[in-house]
Amino acid sequence: MRERGLIMAVSLTKLVLGDDASVFQSNGAKFRIARRLARESWSDQQRSLLRLLALSHRDGLDATTLVTAFVHENRGAYRSVLRRLSRRMQSGLPLIEALEQTPEALSDDDVLALRLGNRSGTLNSTFAMLMEQGETTEQPMGLKGRSLLDYWLLMGGLLIVLILLFSYFIRPNIQDVFDELGDSEIGSGTNFLILSEWTFKVGMFCLALIVALILIGWSQPIRVAVRRALSLRWTATVSPVSTASVLRVLGVSVLNGRPLVGSLSTLAKYHAQPRLRQQLLLARNEIEQGMDAWESLRLARILKPSECSALRMNEEPASQSWILNRLADKREQLSERRRSLAILFLHPILVIIFGLLVFWLAYSVLGNLYGLTTSLAS
């Protein structure tokens, strides 16, 4: 509902005020219709931008003006991303190139689909496919994972406070008391202090590692940066979601009667994953050598033999496009199940690790107090 309201507001404002972007910028506070502290996921904000671009293309509106106005409709990190995108578009950079140079504005798969749609003249169908995909994508698991990340990020922050409190306030005072009593009187108290000192270093390292992993999962910009840093040739892996996006855009090309060899050339040139680019390039080369298109995709390990047979038996473009979309749905469901299993296994592991850290804090404090009372009683 918010996205529909946003599009209507932007469209009406555009029609009433005209194309002057400075009007939007000077009245940014009045233009904003969303709640200031509205909780939206990064993917929801990206879908809002995608709908705005679809509206601009469908009605022939100036995308630069709408994106500039849309900057005021967001808060936080995504607003900074949109501001960079707006500046690039205002400098005269075409929309697709501006999106590619602002990787957090839309997902890599969405930008690739728009690139292919722009080159093949199927941009209307591409926008329709992307918006339909956003409407039918299941969100409960994503929301559950986000809630768990928020929970563990909060717990990690509280545990850091406890560890710092113990390290810089409790432990030094106990150390001063033991130093005044002397080594001959503290007995096992020294062992507790030595143990707490070394355990503190290990505990802080483990906690920092956990918090880093949580931040990677919680923050889209951090996740994008890590993924791009690891997208080297020897570390890149082809995920089911990546092949799903490829099958969806190929379905759009098939439905609109575009040759697969041209679509594969564009995908092989601009896809973000090096290994998948190699597979797409292999399929393109095999088609140019005279091999059947679906057989070349099977040879490149993008399609399975059974999937290739199903596409070859159905020669109607509409049927082939439908099959490609269903295969993409199947791959996305497989990826979602893997993500769900990862969360199910990760949650108890984090519970155990945090429990051990809390036990260490209690053991250190109570153990030192026990050593102190024993020394004073002797």
Side-chain angles (χ1 to χ4, degrees), residues 30 41 65 70 120 141 160 171 222 319 324 331 357 375:
K30 297 180 181 179
S41 66
T65 302
F70 190 52
S120 60
M141 196 62 224
I160 287 177
R171 182 177 170 274
I222 296 177
S319 299
L324 289 172
R331 282 164 168 76
L357 291 175
S375 300

Side-chain angles (χ1 to χ4, degrees), residues 86-100:
S86 175
R87 285 198 299 264
R88 291 186 175 106
M89 295 176 67
Q90 290 175 0
S91 66
L93 198 64
L95 174 62
I96 304 301
E97 282 74 9
L99 289 171
E100 288 178 342

Side-chain angles (χ1 to χ4, degrees), residues 306-320:
S306 58
E307 298 169 347
C308 176
S309 300
L311 289 166
R312 295 178 66 180
M313 287 189 297
N314 294 271
E315 298 182 355
E316 291 292 330
S319 299
Q320 291 177 340

Side-chain angles (χ1 to χ4, degrees), residues 196-208 357:
S196 63
E197 181 179 356
W198 284 98
T199 310
F200 171 77
K201 297 177 182 179
V202 177
M204 286 297 293
F205 173 78
C206 295
L207 190 59
L357 291 175

Side-chain angles (χ1 to χ4, degrees), residues 244-255:
S245 64
V246 168
L247 294 179
R248 286 194 188 279
V249 295
L250 289 180
V252 174
S253 299
V254 170
L255 185 62

